[in-house]
């Protein structure tokens, strides 16, 4: 019998599959399609202290084997997430959810996390210091070890929940950034966020995306994500949530061999809304094919 | 929303770059005129959102324009080939609001979703007037099909080669009970200005990620806050939209 269970800083998951933030809303669009309780957990839409409309459209472009988005962290703000989205989610999701939190200053991250700290439904906080789509925020923290350290310390001071820092791949070397998060007290690392990318429309001869650049995701980025998860696993002794281009059960196994304890699935949800339950259903077969009885046993197995 | 496999049973060009495709498959998720489907094309990552022109128990008709690599590949597909699609997407036109003499205004590839709307309104005993706007004669499609339904049809062309010369707003009737429209944003803006005294619903177009409300890729700012074109729309009450006039 295949054992899919994994544990993230004390949070036990029935399986390692977690829809990634920004591809799953606050869950209930998907709850109309399938019982989302089959998931390990899910990471809700990146949420900030204040409501945000985000960037002008077009926000989406296609790429070979992937896509670019420049949504710009559209969200209703932390207070409405707590008073409206979480109660609505409670009716269809009975597991702990991952709260994905963004911000524009150290204080803002801390205040937002302090608000969500009281919520029993939240099992873990994923601090997004790596959104490429907002100016003067997020990614500017995530590409600087001092910024990561400051945000991590501030958030840890206001919450007792496990804090995972979500890193940007848009750096020369990911290791010092993961190390900065670890030294500042992070409980785990999430990676990778999207890669900065661009497409140009041949008819208008201008960038497709109104914001010009956006975050590149989808199967095309899987090798970059695997490489970075592998590097961080070697350098930092913290659990890793691995993500980037995962769309099949085989990708999940590969990501766990690289060093991930759990795996987020992002862009695949947008193309096939049933991608996550299909991956979960396929995992036992893929495990049997490669002689794996427990997924816990293969974490970091490629090292 | 449902996912299904659809077989191409008809595929014909209507103009130089506009094609009509009839697909057979499960249409049970389609519930109102103005909805769209998301079609997956081999070799392309994202699905293509295409408005539904008409549907019955067994088939769905779409009309699309070749605008890029994806629709170009789609145009090469042959009868008998199959496509994976998500159906039942979007909030369509509310026919209850039409009144007795609704006005339907379509511009270019905004025309197709009005076809099933006109059909539905006629079946309910309404008397729709349909204005179809194009740039020039060889871009016109579906005017005869709307006439065959029994609707009063007015064609406009920018160059005056057929019908009323100018834009759709040059052909507005004096009286109508409600206005439904789909077309390019400059046309919708002009139509909004010209029909401020009456109620109406406009269908918007936007580049989409998922097409079912998950990614926030196609948001539009409205007087009630940010809304998703794919899930809350594509059809919105025109008064709810923000117009820079």
């Amino acid at each position: 019998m295949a054992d899919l269970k994994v544990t993230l800083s004390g949070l036990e998951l029935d399986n390692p599959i977690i829809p990634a933030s920004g591809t799953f809303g606050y869950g209930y669009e998907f709850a109309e399609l399938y019982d989302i309780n089959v998931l390990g957990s899910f990471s809700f839409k990146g949420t900030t202290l204040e409501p945000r409309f985000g960037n002008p459209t077009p926000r989406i472009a296609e790429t070979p084997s992937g896509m670019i988005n420049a949504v710009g962290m559209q969200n209703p703000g932390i207070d409405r997430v707590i008073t409206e989205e979480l109660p609505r989610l409670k009716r269809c999701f009975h597991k702990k959810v991952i709260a994905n939190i963004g911000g524009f200053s150290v204080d803002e991250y801390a205040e937002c996390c302090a608000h969500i700290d009281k919520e029993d439904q939240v099992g873990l906080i994923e601090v997004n210091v790596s959104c490429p789509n907002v100016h003067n925020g997020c990614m500017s923290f995530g590409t600087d070890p001092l910024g990561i350290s400051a945000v991590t310390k501030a958030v840890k001071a206001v919450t007792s929940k496990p804090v995972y820092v979500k890193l940007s791949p848009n750096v020369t070397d990911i290791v010092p950034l993961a190390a900065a998060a670890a030294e500042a007290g992070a409980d785990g690392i999430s990676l990778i966020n999207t890669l900065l990318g661009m497409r140009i429309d041949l008819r208008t001869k201008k960038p497709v995306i109104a914001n010009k650049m956006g975050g590149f995701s989808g199967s095309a980025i899987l090798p970059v994500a695997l490489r970075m998860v592998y590097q961080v696993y070697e350098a930092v002794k913290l659990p890793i949530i691995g993500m980037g281009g995962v769309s099949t059960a085989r990708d999940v196994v590969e990501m766990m061999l690289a060093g991930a304890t759990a795996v987020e699935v992002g862009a695949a949800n947008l193309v096939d809304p049933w991608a996550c339950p299909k991956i979960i259903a396929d995992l036992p077969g893929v495990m049997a094919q490669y002689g794996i009885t427990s997924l816990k046993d293969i974490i970091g197995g490629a090292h | 929303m449902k996912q299904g496999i659809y077989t191409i049973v008809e595929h014909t060009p209507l103009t130089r770059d506009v094609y009509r495709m009839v697909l057979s498959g499960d249409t049970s998720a389609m519930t109102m005129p103005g909805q769209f489907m998301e079609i997956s094309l081999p070799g392309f990552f994202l699905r293509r959102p295409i408005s539904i022109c008409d549907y019955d128990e067994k088939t769905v008709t779409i009309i699309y324009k070749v605008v890029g690599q994806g629709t170009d590949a789609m145009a090469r597909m042959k009868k008998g080939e199959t496509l994976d699609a998500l159906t039942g997407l979007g909030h369509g036109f509310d026919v209850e609001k039409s009144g007795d003499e609704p006005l339907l205004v379509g511009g270019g590839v905004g025309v197709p979703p009005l076809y099933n709307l006109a059909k539905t309104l006629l079946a309910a005993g309404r008397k729709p007037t349909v204005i179809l706007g194009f740039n020039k004669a060889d871009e016109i499609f579906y005017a005869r099909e709307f006439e065959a339904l029994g609707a009063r049809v007015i064609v406009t062309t920018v160059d005056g080669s057929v019908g009323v010369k100018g834009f759709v707003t040059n052909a507005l009737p004096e009286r109508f009970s409600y206005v439904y429209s789909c077309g390019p944003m400059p046309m919708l803006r002009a139509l909004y200005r010209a029909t401020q005294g009456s109620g109406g619903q406009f269908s918007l177009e936007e580049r989409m990620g998922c097409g079912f409300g998950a990614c926030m890729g196609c948001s539009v700012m409205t007087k009630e806050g940010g809304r998703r074109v794919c899930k809350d729309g594509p059809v919105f009450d025109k008064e709810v939209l923000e117009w820079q006039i």
Side-chain angles (χ1 to χ4, degrees):
Chain A
M1 178 81 179
D3 181 6
L4 306 188
K5 288 191 171 62
V6 295
T7 306
L8 284 174
S9 307
L11 179 65
E12 287 184 22
L13 307 181
D14 293 333
N15 62 67
I17 305 306
I18 303 170
S21 180
T23 66
F24 212 73
Y26 293 94
Y28 31 80
E29 279 81 15
F30 290 83
E32 291 171 17
L33 307 179
Y34 63 88
D35 179 4
I36 61 173
N37 292 291
V38 301
L39 302 168
S41 179
F42 80 87
S43 181
F44 68 49
K45 174 80 188 127
T47 298
T48 50
L49 192 59
E50 302 295 334
R52 284 178 57 81
F53 174 66
N55 291 326
T57 57
R59 295 175 172 182
I60 303 287
E62 190 179 45
T63 74
S65 300
M67 62 179 287
I68 295 173
N69 88 81
V71 169
M73 294 214 294
Q74 180 175 355
N75 79 91
I78 191 72
D79 289 337
R80 269 184 57 199
V81 168
I82 291 169
T83 57
E84 292 174 27
E85 310 287 350
L86 286 180
R88 200 169 154 198
L89 174 65
K90 202 169 201 167
R91 297 201 288 268
C92 54
F93 190 59
H94 313 304
K95 295 182 174 181
K96 301 276 188 190
V97 69
I98 295 176
N100 185 288
I101 302 297
F104 298 86
S105 69
V106 172
D107 289 348
E108 199 181 325
Y109 277 104
E111 198 177 340
C112 210
C113 291
H115 283 227
I116 206 81
D117 179 61
K118 301 174 196 80
E119 300 306 311
D120 275 348
Q121 276 169 279
V122 174
L124 189 154
I125 297 176
E126 187 176 56
V127 181
N128 178 9
V129 290
S130 45
C131 177
N133 291 326
V134 291
H135 298 292
N136 308 315
C138 251
M139 200 172 84
S140 55
F141 288 100
T143 54
D144 168 19
L146 294 175
I148 288 183
S149 179
V151 171
T152 308
K153 281 180 186 159
V155 169
K156 279 298 288 179
V158 297
T159 181
S160 54
K161 295 188 191 294
V163 171
Y164 278 53
V165 178
K166 185 169 176 180
L167 298 181
S168 169
N170 301 304
V171 293
T172 311
D173 185 2
I174 192 84
V175 168
L177 301 165
E183 279 160 25
D187 298 283
I189 306 288
S190 262
L191 78 163
I192 58 175
N193 205 317
T194 53
L195 292 149
L196 260 187
M198 180 185 273
R199 292 304 311 264
I200 294 168
D201 187 328
L202 298 188
R203 288 175 304 163
T204 62
K205 301 175 178 62
K206 299 284 183 227
V208 172
I209 302 250
N211 211 30
K212 298 189 178 80
M213 289 178 270
F216 173 32
S217 63
S219 5
I221 73 164
L222 177 68
V224 179
L226 286 167
R227 184 263 295 180
M228 288 191 164
V229 168
Y230 187 95
Q231 287 178 307
V232 169
Y233 183 85
E234 296 244 304
V236 175
K237 299 299 160 217
L238 288 179
I240 295 168
I241 304 177
M243 75 198 78
V246 173
S247 58
T248 66
R250 301 171 78 95
D251 297 344
V252 170
V253 171
E254 206 175 338
M255 192 58 92
M256 293 184 78
L257 288 168
T261 296
V263 178
E264 290 189 16
V265 177
N269 293 307
L270 308 182
V271 179
D272 177 2
W274 290 272
C276 285
K278 281 179 191 164
I279 290 172
I280 293 162
D282 288 347
L283 269 170
V286 171
M287 288 166 68
Q289 190 181 349
Y290 295 97
I292 301 161
T293 50
S294 168
L295 283 180
K296 276 195 197 88
D297 298 342
I298 67 163
I299 298 165
H303 292 262
Chain B
M1 176 171 77
K2 278 192 176 176
Q3 180 263 335
I5 303 295
Y6 295 80
T7 306
I8 302 171
V9 291
E10 281 180 49
H11 195 194
T12 47
L14 296 178
T15 72
R16 189 177 51 82
D17 54 5
V18 173
Y19 291 77
R20 174 179 184 270
M21 186 184 266
V22 181
L23 297 158
S24 75
D26 182 2
T27 60
S28 61
M30 300 171 198
T31 54
M32 64 203 299
Q35 289 182 312
F36 66 99
M37 60 198 291
E38 277 264 43
I39 296 180
S40 176
L41 298 167
F44 293 88
F45 188 78
L46 292 174
R47 293 171 183 269
R48 264 64 186 166
I50 311 271
S51 66
I52 287 165
C53 172
D54 198 15
Y55 66 97
D56 57 27
E57 291 76 25
K58 289 182 181 136
T59 65
V60 52
T61 302
I62 54 172
I63 292 174
Y64 64 94
K65 183 177 179 176
V66 174
V67 290
Q69 281 182 291
T71 40
D72 188 53
M74 194 164 150
R76 293 167 209 273
M77 295 191 78
K78 303 265 186 306
K79 202 168 143 177
E81 289 187 78
T82 58
L83 287 165
D84 177 310
L86 302 176
T87 60
L89 301 176
H91 182 83
F93 295 107
D94 182 354
V95 294
E96 300 296 322
K97 293 181 174 174
S98 75
D100 285 337
E101 296 180 8
L103 176 65
L104 280 57
V105 182
V109 275
V111 165
L114 301 181
Y115 182 79
N116 185 258
L117 174 63
K119 199 173 172 179
T120 307
L121 291 168
L122 283 158
R126 311 298 181 202
K127 297 186 188 67
T129 296
V130 183
I131 304 177
L132 305 177
F134 300 94
N135 288 312
K136 50 190 200 290
D138 64 4
E139 292 180 10
I140 298 170
F141 63 88
Y142 253 52
R144 253 170 282 151
E145 283 79 355
F146 276 92
E147 273 164 10
L149 288 176
R152 177 184 169 221
V153 177
I154 302 166
V155 171
T156 68
T157 50
V158 176
D159 69 357
S161 49
V162 176
V164 177
K165 180 178 165 68
F167 298 104
V168 292
T169 42
N170 297 112
L172 298 180
E174 271 183 34
R175 280 188 26 237
F176 51 89
S177 53
Y178 198 73
V179 58
Y180 296 99
S181 185
C182 183
M185 194 44 87
M187 185 198 90
L188 294 180
R189 206 172 284 128
L191 189 64
Y192 176 79
R193 278 195 297 265
T195 61
Q196 281 194 47
S198 74
Q201 291 190 326
F202 288 178
S203 181
L204 304 186
E205 181 178 52
E206 191 51 74
R207 277 179 185 264
M208 291 177 186
C210 63
F212 52 87
C215 74
M216 306 290 155
C218 61
S219 296
V220 60
M221 186 48 97
T222 72
K223 295 192 175 92
E224 296 164 352
R227 290 288 180 270
R228 299 160 296 183
V229 171
C230 70
K231 178 92 173 179
D232 305 309
V235 175
F236 293 92
D237 283 348
K238 67 184 173 76
E239 309 306 330
V240 167
L241 299 169
E242 299 270 13
W243 301 97
Q244 287 100 34
I245 296 172

